[in-house]
Amino acid sequence: MGVVGAGAMGAGIAEVAAAAGHRVVLLDVGAAALDRGRGIIDASLAGRVKRGILTGEQADDIRSRLTFTQDIGDLAACVLVVEAIIEQTAAKASLFARLESVLAPDAVIASNTSSLPISGLATSLQRPERFVGLHFFNPAPVMKLVEVVTIRDNPATLGPMLADLMRRWGKVPVLAADVPGFIVNRVARPFYAEGFLALGEGLDPAAIDHALKVAGGFRMGPLELADLIGHDINYAVAGSIHGAYAGKTRFRLQPAQQALVEAGRLGRKTGRGVFVAGEKPVPPLEPPAPAPGRLHFGAGLDALRDAATAAGLSVVTDPRLPAGSLEIDGIRVSLGDGRSAAGMGRADDRTRVMLDMARDFATAGTLVASLTNPDDTAARTAFAGFAQALGKGALLLPDRPGGLVLRTLVQLANAAADALADRVADANGIDAAMVHGANHPQGPLAWVAQVGTARVIQALTHLAAETGDDLYLPGAGLGI
Ligand SMILES: NC(=O)c1ccc[n+]([C@@H]2O[C@H](COP(=O)([O-])OP(=O)(O)OC[C@H]3O[C@@H](n4cnc5c(N)ncnc54)[C@H](O)[C@@H]3O)[C@@H](O)[C@H]2O)c1
């Protein structure tokens, strides 16, 4: 095995291959770069020993299988070389020419590029049939996903063979088409876009992240995640995908993020992005409110009804209430359907609270909602008392179509369905990619299956109608 580029990705990939038992030659252009790569691997292995994942002896074994070199001739015996150098077509093309001059004719050359088309890079090879994409995620020893990107020149056996190899490396390979952003960098866009859109509308950034973590089930909120990645990098990825899919509005750039980049507020690395590094954002949860008296539940909110019963509250199942609604001491709360709270209130004048989606209402630590009338303090107090009586926080957000959590989840589903329609990967592959490459708690298409396609389409249709923005129109992949 050969790896070229001993940076963040190359060092990680070399470690993974050596841990899988291969002898690995790691090539870079200077002693300093090689030292940096060695340092990255040493730190990663030391961390794994400390956490009890590896013994010291196993770490030494892995290290003993690694060779560091500046001489491309040392790669001559490799049957697979993964390229992880700077993201520049010319630099990569000249490396591939030098690699082809030393490698055996049947050795496979793979690029870890995030944004350059594999078929475009392949044109610089004498033997394009041996060239593929193997897109690892950062940090490579931790993140399980590898997008395996084959092109028309490849023999049909090459993709499955590399997928098999990646499984033996302990990875989750997903075969992906050679499209900009492959799967993850394309399908994940709405997660950031919706966060920045809400930020641009003036929603509290701590509230945005809190809602998506605690009700949406995501490990990190979109704003803190973009702070971690760096807004320059995240915005550049968004820009390259937007450019590559000109006309596809699902990939639109967000002015709120552009403003951060222009202000040099790039995230943790500059000490400040959306948040000040090191400061813990505090979401504006509602203050303690009295527990509700009688609760009437319509159909379809079973998890909340069961939680209320378990909390010892007075619960009545009331078939006269519309499905997806409940009444807290006569104050109607309706589960969001893509409209704003005001829009729902216009259709049903008893609705005073729009409940935003939770991935799982039973385990969600906070209930998120909006009021049809922001000055309705009785509704605010009733909702807060209800959530708190269930042991949950209550978060009231400014009213907007689709709320925040539902809107983000349906747009992720929409992007996944687009990718499915464009044959970027199959449904299982798209879901696996989002779980193992972006740490999402569930695949976007599995979520659609959970809540029902009709409901997702309805929410998107409402969103498109109320915002007047075709960004939200349901895509063909949703089966319409
Ligand atoms: N960083 C990420 O999150 C990430 C994730 C997936 C894929 N990628 C892709 O992986 C590749 C590398 O990214 P990175 O973040 O590891 O970069 P990096 O800057 O950390 O490392 C690049 C390394 O390549 C070396 N290099 C440059 N030109 C070279 C050449 N001609 N020959 C040999 N070595 C050379 C540099 O000295 C450096 O050590 C890029 O194509 C990038 O798009 C990055």
Side-chain angles (χ1 to χ4, degrees):
M1 258 290 305
V3 177
V4 187
M9 294 308 296
I13 295 165
E15 180 193 327
V16 171
H22 298 277
R23 278 177 296 130
V24 181
V25 184
L26 183 51
L27 172 83
D28 207 305
V29 284
L34 287 173
D35 281 347
R36 178 177 163 232
R38 200 190 316 262
I40 294 171
I41 295 172
D42 283 342
S44 168
L45 289 174
R48 290 167 103 72
V49 170
K50 198 169 161 200
R51 289 196 300 280
I53 301 167
L54 292 175
T55 65
E57 202 177 323
Q58 286 169 321
D60 288 342
D61 272 355
I62 293 170
R63 244 182 246 112
S64 74
R65 286 194 282 272
L66 288 158
T67 312
F68 296 81
T69 186
Q70 298 179 50
D71 177 359
I72 201 156
D74 289 344
L75 295 174
C78 294
V79 294
L80 169 65
V81 175
V82 180
E83 167 278 311
I85 68 166
I86 43 167
E87 191 73 335
Q88 279 177 12
T89 305
K92 290 189 196 277
S94 107
L95 170 68
F96 298 145
R98 288 189 296 132
L99 279 174
E100 283 201 298
S101 72
V102 298
L103 293 175
D106 59 348
V108 173
I109 300 177
S111 176
N112 185 50
T113 179
S114 297
S115 64
L116 303 172
I118 300 301
S119 49
L121 290 174
T123 59
S124 65
L125 277 89
Q126 280 174 5
R127 295 177 182 271
E129 66 276 11
R130 59 150 97 197
F131 185 69
V132 293
L134 282 180
H135 188 221
F136 289 79
F137 288 72
N138 193 11
V142 178
M143 299 299 288
K144 293 269 180 222
L145 181 68
V146 180
E147 292 172 329
V148 179
V149 185
T150 53
I151 52 175
R152 208 179 304 180
D153 306 271
N154 298 140
T157 48
L158 187 58
M161 190 191 87
L162 287 169
D164 217 45
L165 180 69
M166 291 303 106
R167 269 188 282 273
R168 280 188 272 136
W169 289 13
K171 295 296 174 196
V172 175
V174 173
L175 295 172
D178 185 22
V179 298
F182 308 126
I183 306 169
V184 172
N185 281 338
R186 166 177 165 151
V187 176
R189 296 274 49 92
F191 185 61
Y192 305 103
E194 287 300 330
F196 283 105
L197 194 66
L199 184 70
E201 288 173 19
L203 273 72
D204 180 298
I208 293 170
D209 277 0
H210 180 81
L212 285 158
K213 282 190 287 188
V214 181
F218 294 96
R219 205 174 295 174
M220 291 180 83
L223 305 177
E224 60 180 333
L225 181 54
D227 265 1
L228 177 67
I229 294 168
H231 295 286
D232 50 344
I233 292 180
N234 193 254
Y235 189 72
V237 173
S240 84
I241 295 191
H242 178 256
Y245 288 103
K248 278 226 181 182
T249 52
R250 209 91 72 208
F251 307 109
R252 188 182 297 163
L253 291 164
Q254 291 302 324
Q257 190 173 32
Q258 185 185 0
L260 289 169
V261 175
E262 284 170 2
R265 284 171 53 178
L266 303 182
R268 279 198 204 172
K269 62 187 171 188
T270 58
R272 189 168 182 199
V274 175
F275 303 106
V276 175
E279 279 181 16
K280 200 171 155 43
V282 181
L285 297 181
E286 291 302 301
R294 268 174 99 73
L295 294 170
H296 288 246
F297 276 88
L301 289 173
D302 297 1
L304 284 178
R305 193 199 54 211
D306 294 349
T309 307
L313 300 175
S314 157
V315 171
V316 176
T317 301
D318 188 342
R320 288 167 308 174
L321 283 183
S325 70
L326 75 137
E327 288 189 357
I328 307 166
D329 295 322
I331 291 174
R332 184 169 293 176
V333 178
S334 296
L335 184 60
D337 63 0
R339 291 176 290 186
S340 60
M344 294 185 84
R346 279 193 294 275
D348 162 23
D349 64 6
R350 287 192 56 83
T351 292
R352 290 163 70 180
V353 181
M354 175 183 78
L355 178 62
D356 201 347
M357 181 56 84
R359 194 179 289 275
D360 177 1
F361 278 111
T363 57
T366 291
L367 297 182
V368 182
S370 304
L371 303 174
T372 53
N373 167 6
D375 302 325
D376 188 347
T377 43
R380 178 180 285 268
T381 307
F383 172 73
F386 168 66
Q388 290 160 2
L390 304 189
K392 301 180 189 296
L395 178 64
L396 282 154
L397 296 180
D399 186 26
R400 61 204 293 272
L404 176 67
V405 181
L406 177 66
R407 184 154 156 169
T408 303
L409 291 175
V410 294
Q411 275 301 75
L412 280 169
N414 216 5
D418 270 355
L420 191 62
D422 288 353
R423 297 177 187 274
V424 178
D426 62 19
N428 288 336
I430 291 170
D431 275 359
M434 299 312 290
V435 170
H436 298 290
N439 278 329
H440 286 196
Q442 180 185 26
L445 298 170
W447 180 76
V448 174
Q450 178 187 307
V451 298
T453 308
R455 199 151 145 214
V456 173
I457 291 173
Q458 181 196 49
L460 288 165
T461 308
H462 281 153
L463 260 164
E466 207 176 320
T467 59
D469 189 341
D470 60 5
L471 179 67
Y472 296 100
L473 284 172
L478 285 168
I480 49 164

